[in-house]
Structures are given as C-alpha cells and as structure tokens.
Amino acid sequence: DADVTQTPRNRITKTGKRIMLECSQTKGHDRMYWYRQDPGLGLRLIYYSFDVKDINKGEISDGYSVSRQAQAKFSLSLESAIPNQTALYFCATSEVSNTGELFFGEGSRLTVL
Amino acid sequence: GDSVTQMEGPVTLSEEACLTINCTYTATGYPSLFWYVQYPGEGLQLLLKATKADDKGSNKGFEATYRKETTSFHLEKGSVQVSDSAVYFCALSGWNTGNQFYFGTGTSLTVIP
C-alpha cells in the first residue's frame, strides 16, 4: 500500500459544485502539503500544515480551504469549483527537517466543466 | 524571494545519449537542493538531493552537484535509457524558506530507442 494515499484519483464535476480531495498518510510525518500541477507551471503550493493545529496558506490559496483532521489526514476543499481549477492535485508529507524530502501521493486529477 | 529556474523542455534524446538538465536557484542562506522525477501517471518521487555546497547527489546513474558559486544544481546522466522518460523537477528547501519547497517548472524528457 502507498504511504501517501489520495482519494479520489479522478473526478469530473460541474462549475459551482463543492469538491473534497482527501489525503491520508502512514509515514508518521507531522508536515503535510497540498500542491497543484499545471502544464508549464510546475507545482504550486496551495496550503500546508506543520502539525494538527497549524494551517498556512501557500502561493495560491484563493478558492481553496483545508482541514487537518488528524496527524495522518489532510483534506482539500473547493467550495465552489470553477473551470480554471481543473488540474492535477498532489498531497505530500515531510519530516521536520530542513534537509528532509517530500513524499508525494499519486495525485488527484480534477476536471471542472 | 526564493526561486528555482530550470531548463525548459521538452527534451528528446536517443538511447545512450548524454543528458544535462540545467537548474539554477535564488535563495537566501543555504538551502537543500533536490531533483524529483515524475513518471507517466505517477506522483513525484525523489531522485537525488544535496544538502550543502559541493555535495554531489547521485541515484540510478544520475548525478547533480551543489554549486554555491554558480547557484546551480544541474542534473546529468552519461547514458540515458528509454525507462528514463519522465518529467524532472528541480526544487529547493531550507530553514530560510520556512521549510517550504520551491519547484522549477519541470523538464520533460523522452528517450527514443
């Protein structure tokens, strides 16, 4: 089983709908992140959490919200989806270290029609 | 602010050709530097890293050296294989970035037989 699991893997929805992407991890890491990947733009940070009580906005948080339900769970919500939120979304975790690497989930592909 | 600039793709090489993907960074302090690889349909995974100046990271025949004087971390491989076809991302992180990771835009590599 994957250390970082994202659900759903693929989702097609309509403009205005509320969508939740879920992430769970078994690595025991305190730090969790949500990124968005768009062609030609690389990865952009949406939100990150350094522990259960710590939530921080990233580079592109507008239109998104998050919930850190437990150390192992970090959910991303789109309250009212719009077409330009069509993208590949990745959850990641890391240790508390300035040399630690990110561990990624397999991604959730979201299409907003 | 901190940032990473990497060579734009796509790059197409014949099998056994030499590969260099350029990466330069802008950062305060002394970040850790990373190369991530994304195979088709998968999440990103760490390829190699270097945590201080003059360190060389290596893995699967790939190498990159942390050059503080030129603020570079170029990815090299002497003989690429078809299985190396993927998207490669350069990234940095460190205490001065609040342990956030900054990614380049990615370089797509296709190796043809």
Side-chain angles (χ1 to χ4, degrees):
Chain A
D1 289 340
D3 294 324
V4 183
T5 303
Q6 294 182 230
T7 56
R9 294 292 312 279
N10 288 283
R11 183 71 181 269
I12 300 173
T13 191
K14 295 181 178 179
T15 297
K17 294 293 187 180
R18 183 178 187 273
I19 295 296
M20 179 180 287
L21 305 180
E22 298 185 334
C23 177
S24 63
Q25 54 116 344
T26 58
K27 298 197 71 66
H29 290 163
D30 284 327
R31 298 183 172 185
M32 298 186 73
Y33 309 77
W34 276 104
Y35 286 90
R36 168 177 171 161
Q37 184 180 21
D38 297 279
L41 296 178
L43 272 74
R44 293 181 291 169
L45 183 63
I46 305 172
Y47 271 95
Y48 62 102
S49 170
F50 281 0
D51 66 43
V52 175
K53 296 181 180 179
D54 176 75
I55 302 288
N56 302 282
K57 292 183 178 181
E59 179 185 357
I60 55 163
S61 60
D62 288 348
Y64 301 94
S65 62
V66 291
S67 173
R68 185 81 184 266
Q69 301 94 325
Q71 186 205 37
K73 296 185 182 297
F74 192 38
S75 300
L76 176 71
S77 293
L78 289 68
E79 297 301 327
S80 180
I82 57 177
N84 76 359
Q85 292 177 312
T86 293
L88 184 57
Y89 291 85
F90 286 103
C91 176
T93 73
S94 72
E95 297 175 321
V96 180
S97 167
N98 67 323
T99 63
E101 66 184 90
L102 283 172
F103 293 85
F104 285 86
E106 294 182 318
S108 296
R109 184 168 296 282
L110 176 65
T111 302
V112 183
L113 301 177
Chain B
D2 294 353
S3 65
V4 173
T5 302
Q6 68 179 96
M7 186 175 88
E8 293 189 10
V11 175
T12 302
L13 295 174
S14 296
E15 204 165 22
E16 299 184 1
C18 295
L19 169 71
T20 299
I21 301 177
N22 292 332
C23 172
T24 56
Y25 68 91
T26 301
T28 54
Y30 303 96
S32 295
L33 301 175
F34 305 81
W35 276 102
Y36 283 84
V37 58
Q38 183 181 28
Y39 298 106
E42 298 183 12
L44 283 74
Q45 56 186 274
L46 182 69
L47 180 59
L48 53 85
K49 71 177 185 182
T51 59
K52 60 183 186 294
D54 299 325
D55 266 3
K56 177 185 283 187
S58 62
N59 186 25
K60 299 181 180 180
F62 291 88
E63 294 183 339
T65 300
Y66 190 143
R67 302 285 189 198
K68 184 174 181 292
E69 63 276 13
T70 56
T71 62
S72 65
F73 192 55
H74 305 322
L75 182 67
E76 298 176 327
K77 187 173 186 181
S79 176
V80 295
Q81 305 300 312
V82 172
S83 57
D84 293 327
S85 297
V87 181
Y88 293 81
F89 292 90
C90 186
L92 68 80
S93 177
W95 293 117
N96 284 348
T97 71
N99 288 115
Q100 291 186 44
F101 284 74
Y102 291 88
F103 286 85
T105 54
T107 302
S108 175
L109 170 67
T110 300
V111 180
I112 55 177

